[in-house]
Amino acid sequence: MHMNVKTAKYSGYCFGVKRALKLAEEILKKNQGKKTEIFTLGPIIHNSGVTNKLAKKGLISVENLEKIIPGSILIIRSHGMSPVLVNEIKKKNIKIIDATCPFVKKAQVRAEDLSKNGYFVVIVGNRNHPEVIGIKDHVLNKNYAVIKNEANAEKISSKKKIGVVVQTTQPIEKLCLITSKLREKAKELVVFNTICNTTKKRQNSTKKLANNVDIMIVVGGKKSANTKHLVEISKKCGAVTYHIENYKEIKPQWFNNAKKVGISGGASTPVEDIIDIKEAIEKL
Ligand code: SF4
């Protein structure tokens, strides 16, 4: 098949993920051959290829705090962590290495400041995502709501002051729709657009590419929130879109009659995976 295969201008590891992985590699190297165990609470990124490689070097991913033993090291992931958990960890004689992305930290600080200043804090995002859990626990007195769409915004009762922060990976369009609804709910509305630039760049370049191709391949972990948003964006543009983690998932029949193919990668996708996929499609 002869196809024109293009990769989105902004694809693959974002600044926060690169930083967290670099820190993890450094800590693992420094402790090589020592007895100190090194943990993350949940996988360091949502990409099984990468987490498997790090596991071989000694990084242990656990799902709950009880499994982290005193005297060990815990790396806080780029998503950040709830301050409630951080305090519990500190009490257990566990050394913390904080790899929270500075953009996530900014959202946490904004949420805390808004609540200190008497605002009801609205967090736009997915309530089960670790980043959002970390942000909401920075709000004082539980004076917050986590919402994901306009219908949720509609349900918020009228308040004197509402302050908005956003999960860093949310689409800007969603924030705009929600804030226009919230305008009717408060005398004073403050919005901090805490969506990170990296996310915006990936979303815009995916949109641009998806508008000009027949098929879009979005590469990244199936649990990666930012990758799933790229899939949503691509589908909205009308491109037939497939979400895969690696080249082995490619099915030749997807490309029957396709002339132009676009590839875009989430913020936790290694560039090598994107290159492998491009080469595999070009060989079809
Ligand atoms: S997507 Fe943005 S906020 Fe999230 S880790 Fe990457 S750079 Fe940081």
Side-chain angles (χ1 to χ4, degrees):
M1 293 177 220
H2 180 72
M3 288 177 286
N4 185 359
V5 188
K6 277 198 174 147
T7 304
K9 188 172 176 196
Y10 296 100
S11 274
Y13 282 164
C14 64
F15 156 77
V17 165
K18 259 191 217 158
R19 184 174 167 271
L21 291 174
K22 188 167 173 264
L23 263 172
E25 293 277 8
E26 280 168 11
I27 305 299
L28 288 165
K29 202 169 169 195
K30 215 167 152 189
N31 288 278
Q32 214 173 20
K34 293 186 188 164
K35 279 187 182 160
T36 316
E37 295 199 281
I38 302 158
F39 292 91
T40 53
L41 205 48
I44 188 155
I45 59 168
H46 289 300
N47 185 294
S48 50
V50 177
T51 49
N52 289 342
K53 273 187 205 153
L54 287 171
K56 282 187 191 136
K57 292 184 183 174
L59 188 64
I60 308 165
S61 165
V62 291
E63 289 311 318
N64 59 61
L65 199 51
E66 285 67 45
K67 295 201 173 138
I68 304 178
I69 52 171
S72 59
I73 295 174
L74 172 79
I75 302 172
I76 297 185
R77 305 178 296 171
S78 56
H79 299 318
M81 189 179 268
S82 154
V84 181
L85 272 184
V86 171
N87 283 337
E88 270 185 59
I89 292 161
K90 281 184 182 159
K91 282 187 211 148
K92 285 182 74 176
N93 182 31
I94 294 163
K95 187 175 171 193
I96 292 179
I97 303 289
D98 191 357
T100 306
C101 174
F103 296 125
V104 174
K105 203 143 237 170
K106 198 181 255 177
Q108 295 173 342
V109 170
R110 294 292 194 204
E112 188 171 346
D113 286 350
L114 283 167
S115 65
K116 275 184 188 158
N117 288 303
Y119 289 86
F120 178 79
V121 180
V122 171
I123 303 160
V124 178
N126 171 358
R127 68 176 63 249
N128 299 316
H129 192 280
E131 179 187 321
V132 173
I133 295 171
I135 295 172
K136 80 175 170 54
D137 283 351
H138 278 78
V139 177
L140 308 182
N141 307 319
K142 298 196 186 308
N143 199 21
Y144 70 85
V146 178
I147 65 170
K148 60 175 185 186
N149 53 32
E150 285 171 275
N152 295 156
E154 191 61 67
K155 284 188 188 141
I156 289 180
S157 58
S158 294
K159 313 273 178 208
K160 214 165 154 192
K161 304 199 309 183
I162 292 181
V164 182
V165 296
V166 204
Q167 182 180 358
T168 53
T169 48
Q170 290 289 309
I172 185 76
E173 294 77 11
K174 192 185 275 186
L175 175 65
C176 296
L177 290 171
I178 286 175
T179 48
S180 69
K181 270 274 165 281
L182 290 175
R183 235 181 260 151
E184 301 156 18
K185 302 280 178 179
K187 283 212 164 66
E188 194 183 325
L189 178 69
V190 173
V191 181
F192 286 113
N193 176 0
T194 47
I195 297 172
C196 87
N197 269 343
T198 309
T199 306
K200 271 192 261 176
K201 280 183 186 165
R202 272 157 184 68
Q203 290 171 353
N204 289 341
S205 65
T206 297
K207 198 189 270 178
K208 203 169 164 195
L209 189 57
N211 274 320
N212 288 294
V213 295
D214 311 303
I215 310 266
M216 271 297 280
I217 304 293
V218 181
V219 193
K222 297 276 159 68
K223 289 184 183 164
S224 156
N226 73 83
T227 308
K228 285 195 269 183
H229 283 138
L230 296 183
V231 173
E232 261 176 50
I233 288 168
S234 172
K235 283 185 179 164
K236 270 193 196 145
C237 294
V240 178
T241 305
Y242 298 98
H243 177 181
I244 61 174
E245 288 190 10
N246 60 55
Y247 73 93
K248 291 177 194 151
E249 291 173 64
I250 292 173
K251 297 215 167 59
Q253 61 268 32
W254 293 346
F255 305 93
N256 288 345
N257 308 320
K259 291 204 166 55
K260 292 186 202 162
V261 178
I263 306 174
S264 172
S268 47
T269 306
V271 165
E272 303 82 65
D273 288 4
I274 297 170
I275 294 170
D276 285 350
I277 285 167
K278 188 168 187 282
E279 286 176 357
I281 297 172
E282 282 169 342
K283 276 187 204 147
L284 289 173

